[in-house]
Amino acid sequence: MTPQQDDLFQDLLHTFQFEAADHLEVLNKALLRLERTTDKKQRDDLLQEAFRAAHNLKGAARIVNVHDIEGLAHALESVLHQAQLGRAELDPAACDVLYATLDAVKHLLNGQDVTLESVHAKLAAIGGEASSAESQIAVQLPMSILEPTVPSDDMIRVAVSKLDNLTAQSSELAISKISAAQHLSDIEGIRRQLVDLPGTWREIKALLPRVNGAVGQQLLDVLTRQQEQLQTLARDIDLLHQSINRDNVYLGIVANRIQSEVRRVRMVPFQTMVLTLERVVRDAARSEEKQVAPLTVEGSEIELDKKVLEALKDSLIHLLRNAVSHGIENTTARLAAGKPAEGHITITIQQHGSEASIVIGDDGHGFDLDALRQKSASNGGEVLDEHANVDEIIGLAFLPGLTTANSVTAIAGRGVGLDVVHQCVEALHGRIVVDSVAGQGASIQLLVPVSLAMTRGLLVRIGTERYMLPLLSVEKILEPGHSFTVEGKRMITIDEKPCLLVSLAAVLGRSTGNIEPGEMLTVVLRVAEQRVALLVEDVLTDQEFAVKPLSKLLRQVPNVTGAALLGNGQPVIVLNAADLIRSARGVPRIDSSTNDQKPNGQSSKHGPQDTCILVVDDSITTRTLEKNILQASGYTVITAIDGKEALQQLHEHKVALVVSDVQMPNMDGFALTRYLRDSSDYAHLPVILVTSVDSRDGREQGLLAGANAYIVKRGFDQAELLSIIGKLL
Amino acid sequence: MSIYQRFSAQELDILRSRAQSAARSAQEDESKDLLTALVVMAGQEGYALPIEAVANVYEGVSITPIPCVPPFVSGVANIRGHIILALDLAALLGIPDQAKPETATLTVLANSEFAVALQVSSIRGIESFSASDLAAVPANIGLAHSAYVGGILPDGAVLLNVDAILSDPKLIVGADPISP
């Protein structure tokens, strides 16, 4: 093949991938409907539609020599043909095979490996012919059947990367608009300078008669000429100003229009994902052997940014699988509870301004709160008493690192991938609201921005500086009110729950103006199930902005997402709500008497990022949790799974402090501490022992071994750990 | 990114080749290699930036500080509609804290990869000197960032190696991203 031919073939393959994806969609949709309908006419139509898609898939695959897909499509086609003739029945088991075949084709399209033999074996069992490569198809197709299954008129397919480019360019346009407005004000400045011209001219005319004779006359002539030139110049500048002003207004209108049109182009209806989700529910119900009605989706016409939708896809799949496998009870239990035999799962999408709400609801038995509570406590996480409300307990399930998938699923029966959902929604600057009624079902609401191109933000002020908070994460703004102190930490009550209160200036390590904390406004941030109340000096406005990365040099700045240009051209820093919530926990306490708090970020010269902490724990959950807490406070963290590996790490890295578990295989925390104290190199290395053993013996043994501090996991508290580390370093 | 520059890349190339040929003829005439630099002040000290390394100079720019970054990061500024990162030259070179003026003087560097500006105390001017007059840096004066220094000019200004500064991995903030 010549290079040109190769290029052509590559293009063809690319086209085939798109086309094949369309056929797969038609097949999936038809099968899902086939499974639900009993109407003879409808069944025949759907079979015909599916058959046509399988046939076209085969033809397209043959053109590009993708024989694996061609073979699968042929087998699919023959099964469907048998069904059309009434010789085969498409029961759920047969449908499983057909779906598996569609998935195999999808995997092949994505370049993944597929064990074709097993797929073919299953297909053969339900009447699928093995190969079409040699044997010509027995089925003779009428011409009408060969029409494309997807109408192609008035539609073109555009690569997302092209749209991304367009979006980037349209934001540049918005920025040029600001820049043009600045030029306009520059010209206004020049005009202002020219305002003085007539005055100066009067002065000159008043002085000139005093100059003698001929020279005076000559000077008057020259200056008059100059005055005329200047007047022409002033007039020209006036005209220029007018036309630039006109152009600017026009540019502004067009730029806004282009931006909103580009944004609209990127928007796709939720409907585009419904098929995938229907399959998820159907497949999960089959594999869990539960009776679940087909997924109901309301508001699927609502459009979201393609990126938002893509980002949500995995989370929605997780949540739907969870709803089927852990939410919906088995038929016996449902009937016993007086519920209909079939479980119902719904997705409801609503749009409120620039925010979309996606609610995944089921009529199962709800979250198992007791189990979650127990699991959290035994995991060394937060201990919640019986007074803790539903939100708080369910919030535990979403905490990353704290409740890992396996541990929670096994006991609480809920939680697979919930931390993944949490992270995903957090990345979109959205939030999660969970509702659960024992015995009646659960609903999980995801609140996400409709579009990522422009976001709404709340502009706040601390001292002389202004910062933008993503509006989606702002739950409410409160007037100065009553606060109280718990263990040195200031709290306020929001919705009858205590919430940590810190000053934004303290979190960011900035200085505040001369304002009493009691006079500050409180902005409550909420990301997923976590909240913090931030004190700011003023809330200025809310507005749309396009966030830009700071610079390639600043890859990751704690608490900062990027920067945006305000209407006046002034850059403003856009803060990261999830980071702020994490950082706020690291701010030890609010001291109302001083304004200059110890910065929590990395602004001091010897920032914590220079400080390496070794975390030793055989539990990956605890290890990850501690690592996350310490990293969020800016420390560099390395980990080891037992005392032995810890010693190795100590030889290889310069470690400033060790946080270690007590019970570990190979070499436990006590042995590690004793070893360190006896060695000349590490005799003074601070060691903090963290343990679930809360006994006087353990404490004494730990301190005897030479540990600097001993923390009991049950009372494990991030702020406590951080504050002890702060004291030891 | 070069939209905010006064010249296009092509024009700059032409200017540079002109400068080079001019320098060559000067060399032929005076058998000297002529260098041109923008001399800026960081605190009381003069630093020379090779003219090729400078895209533009802006005075009276207002800077938005960034929280939670090392002290050598001044903040971001709006330069002709672009958000440009400004680094504090004095802090980069370890010169003790300077009083921060209301508005900043920025020299935007001609760096094709990413836009970055140096905040300086003031601009002394454009100066030419011959390469043979450039003194090596004495080893014993203990300059904190000797890698940044290309030599010392006759008037005591320190010639900076801009490439060495910008490629210093120490400048990258958050190089090891916090993994979730």
Side-chain angles (χ1 to χ4, degrees), chain A residues 676-698:
Chain A
L676 294 178
R677 288 296 166 259
D678 290 344
S679 83
S680 54
D681 290 344
Y682 305 114
H684 300 292
L685 181 68
V687 176
I688 301 175
L689 287 178
V690 182
T691 176
S692 51
V693 187
D694 184 18
S695 66
R696 182 183 296 232
D697 275 2

Side-chain angles (χ1 to χ4, degrees), chain A residues 21-92:
Chain A
D22 283 341
H23 295 320
L24 282 183
E25 191 180 324
V26 172
L27 277 160
N28 262 309
K29 215 181 260 174
L31 282 179
L32 278 166
R33 285 202 223 129
L34 260 175
E35 278 193 283
R36 283 181 223 161
T37 183
T38 47
D39 181 81
K40 172 84 174 62
K41 170 83 177 64
Q42 222 178 347
R43 280 190 71 88
D44 287 350
D45 288 350
L46 287 167
L47 274 172
Q48 177 72 351
E49 197 181 322
F51 174 79
R52 193 162 57 195
H55 178 76
N56 287 346
L57 176 65
K58 182 175 75 175
R62 184 182 294 161
I63 291 171
V64 288
N65 293 327
V66 185
H67 296 301
D68 289 348
I69 294 182
E70 186 190 340
L72 289 174
H74 175 75
L76 268 176
E77 187 187 22
S78 59
V79 172
L80 291 166
H81 188 60
Q82 294 295 318
Q84 275 182 312
L85 297 174
R87 288 186 206 146
E89 201 198 337
L90 293 185
D91 56 6

Side-chain angles (χ1 to χ4, degrees), chain A residues 163-181 183 251-252 254-256 258-260 262-263 453-454 545-549 563 565, chain B residues 1-4 78-84 115:
Chain A
L163 285 185
D164 282 343
N165 281 339
L166 205 56
T167 312
Q169 294 301 323
S170 79
S171 335
E172 291 294 315
L173 189 61
I175 287 168
S176 318
K177 192 181 75 185
I178 293 170
S179 155
H183 297 324
L251 174 68
V254 173
N256 278 341
I258 289 181
Q259 267 203 305
S260 70
V262 167
R263 233 177 297 159
M454 294 288 271
F545 63 90
V547 62
K548 297 258 158 192
L565 289 181
Chain B
M1 224 182 275
S2 59
I3 299 167
Y4 56 86
N78 172 4
I79 304 279
R80 295 275 174 264
H82 291 264
I83 294 175
I84 306 286

Side-chain angles (χ1 to χ4, degrees), chain A residues 291 323 326-344 362-367 414 436-442:
Chain A
Q291 269 185 277
H326 307 307
I328 303 285
E329 315 88 329
N330 61 39
T331 314
T332 336
R334 288 186 66 87
L335 290 173
K339 293 181 181 180
E342 257 190 349
H344 285 266
D362 66 64
D363 65 348
H365 56 58
F367 280 85
R414 200 88 194 224
S436 171
V437 179
Q440 288 181 29

Side-chain angles (χ1 to χ4, degrees), chain A residues 512-527:
Chain A
T512 54
N514 296 322
I515 181 164
E516 289 295 316
E519 293 166 20
M520 292 195 199
L521 293 173
T522 304
V523 178
V524 181
L525 287 188
R526 179 166 178 169
V527 174

